[in-house]
């Protein structure tokens, strides 16, 4: 009898093309996990349907990506977890497996998500963290960034911060909070909201960093939101600094 399994997955996205299947390539997080599930379930890969809370982009990391899959297996949850981890690459880890309700859907049931973007502002190269931070050449003005972040919080049409110019669905989202914290050479921007558009967190980050570097005024943010024009926002921040932290249900 099929049951609905909820998986919590962590991964280093550096060498992958993102979460979602890509034609002609097996270098996606979804693809790697489904390949192992296909062996576990003795089914061809096309019959495996692993659903994720968010389709992280190429090079983006996750601490707690939530997935679900309906499957029939005699293994208990711990055995499923251990089997997956035995055969998955070292940069993908299934942290937890639980049986969920039949109606649980990792994407549609999500009510909030937290992403963290990390920058490095130190004078020396961050050798061991280089895959997980955006190295800045100068220290931004944190006060200016926080002022700009205040305009970005709330419910807005974030079309100007969306990387998909052909977006047909609503681009209105609610950003509950943007916390900006400097600890030593590490500058973190933590975003919580009900959902984020493609590249949205990275475009917001690029725009806030530009504000901190004096390239735009905090007071210009409301007009930027109103314009709904992607060309007016900053370039997209590098993928390496972004990590999915948590999904709320």
């Amino acid at each position: 009898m099929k049951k609905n399994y909820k998986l919590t997955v962590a991964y280093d996205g550096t060498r992958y093309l993102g979460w979602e299947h890509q034609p002609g390539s097996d270098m996606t997080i979804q693809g790697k996990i489904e390949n192992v599930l296909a062996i576990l379930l003795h089914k061809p890969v096309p019959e495996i349907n692993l659903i994720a809370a968010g389709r992280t982009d190429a090079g983006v990391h996750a601490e707690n990506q939530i997935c679900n899959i309906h499957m029939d297996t005699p293994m208990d949850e711990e055995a499923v977890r251990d089997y997956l981890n035995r055969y998955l690459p070292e940069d993908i880890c299934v942290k937890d497996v639980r049986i969920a309700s039949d109606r649980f859907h990792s994407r549609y049931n999500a009510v909030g998500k937290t992403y963290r973007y990390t920058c490095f502002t130190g004078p020396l190269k961050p050798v061991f963290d280089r895959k997980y931070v955006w190295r800045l050449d100068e220290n931004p003005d944190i006060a200016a960034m926080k002022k700009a972040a205040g305009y970005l919080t709330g419910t807005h049409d974030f079309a100007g911060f969306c990387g998909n110019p052909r977006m047909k669905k609503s681009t209105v989202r609610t950003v509950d909070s943007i916390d900006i914290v400097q600890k030593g050479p590490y500058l973190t921007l933590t975003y919580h909201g009900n959902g984020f558009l493609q590249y949205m967190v990275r475009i917001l980050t690029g725009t806030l960093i530009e504000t901190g570097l004096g390239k735009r005024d905090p007071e210009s943010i409301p007009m930027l939101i109103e314009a709904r024009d992607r060309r007016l926002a900053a370039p997209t921040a590098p993928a390496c600094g972004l990590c999915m932290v948590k999904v709320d249900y």
Side-chain angles (χ1 to χ4, degrees):
M1 179 179 177
K2 283 189 176 182
K3 295 179 181 178
N4 192 13
Y5 289 80
K6 175 184 175 184
L7 285 63
T8 303
V9 183
Y11 49 85
D12 177 340
T14 302
R15 67 190 187 104
Y16 295 100
L17 300 175
W19 168 267
E20 193 172 21
H21 288 297
Q22 296 292 331
S25 175
D26 65 349
M27 289 303 293
T28 66
I29 307 298
Q30 182 183 27
K32 291 297 184 184
I33 300 175
E34 288 188 348
N35 284 342
V36 180
L37 285 169
I39 299 171
L40 184 154
L41 298 172
H42 306 289
K43 289 186 174 183
V45 173
E47 293 184 15
I48 307 300
N49 183 29
L50 181 67
I51 303 165
R55 299 168 184 169
T56 52
D57 298 311
V60 174
H61 318 292
E63 290 181 359
N64 295 285
Q65 169 75 276
I66 304 299
C67 319
N68 76 284
I69 180 172
H70 291 266
M71 61 184 186
D72 184 4
T73 174
M75 293 184 179
D76 62 23
E77 298 101 305
E78 186 173 324
V80 171
R81 180 201 66 192
D82 293 345
Y83 184 94
L84 290 170
N85 285 328
R86 186 178 305 121
Y87 295 106
L88 283 169
E90 291 298 311
D91 46 9
I92 303 175
C93 176
V94 177
K95 299 169 66 175
D96 187 61
V97 176
R98 290 283 184 271
I99 295 176
S101 70
D102 288 340
R103 298 176 64 86
F104 173 76
H105 193 287
S106 57
R107 183 163 73 250
Y108 296 150
N109 291 153
V111 296
K113 295 176 184 174
T114 302
Y115 284 88
R116 180 181 63 245
Y117 197 98
T118 305
C119 302
F120 185 85
T121 62
L124 302 178
K125 293 186 288 186
V127 174
F128 299 107
D129 290 335
R130 69 190 186 281
K131 297 178 182 179
Y132 314 108
V133 300
W134 178 16
R135 186 187 178 196
L136 303 178
D137 294 329
E138 55 184 301
N139 290 308
D141 182 339
I142 305 301
M145 292 176 64
K146 288 183 176 181
K147 188 172 184 179
Y151 293 115
L152 291 166
T153 55
T155 302
H156 305 289
D157 187 335
F158 285 99
F161 299 87
C162 179
N164 181 4
R166 301 180 183 86
M167 186 75 172
K168 295 181 180 179
K169 297 181 180 179
S170 173
T171 49
V172 175
R173 296 291 187 274
T174 298
V175 177
D176 300 309
S177 62
I178 304 175
D179 295 321
I180 302 172
V181 177
Q182 177 90 47
K183 288 186 178 180
Y186 294 93
L187 172 62
T188 59
L189 298 85
T190 304
Y191 301 82
H192 183 271
N194 66 352
F196 296 91
L197 304 166
Q198 185 180 35
Y199 300 160
M200 178 174 161
V201 174
R202 292 163 59 192
I203 298 170
L204 289 172
T205 298
T207 302
L208 288 171
I209 292 297
E210 279 197 347
T211 304
L213 296 178
K215 297 179 179 180
R216 63 177 73 229
D217 294 326
E219 291 77 12
S220 70
I221 298 298
M223 290 183 290
L224 180 60
I225 296 172
E226 185 66 26
R228 301 176 66 248
D229 187 343
R230 170 66 189 94
R231 296 170 296 180
L232 300 179
T236 306
C240 58
L242 184 59
C243 183
M244 172 188 276
V245 177
K246 184 182 178 183
V247 183
D248 302 326
Y249 292 96

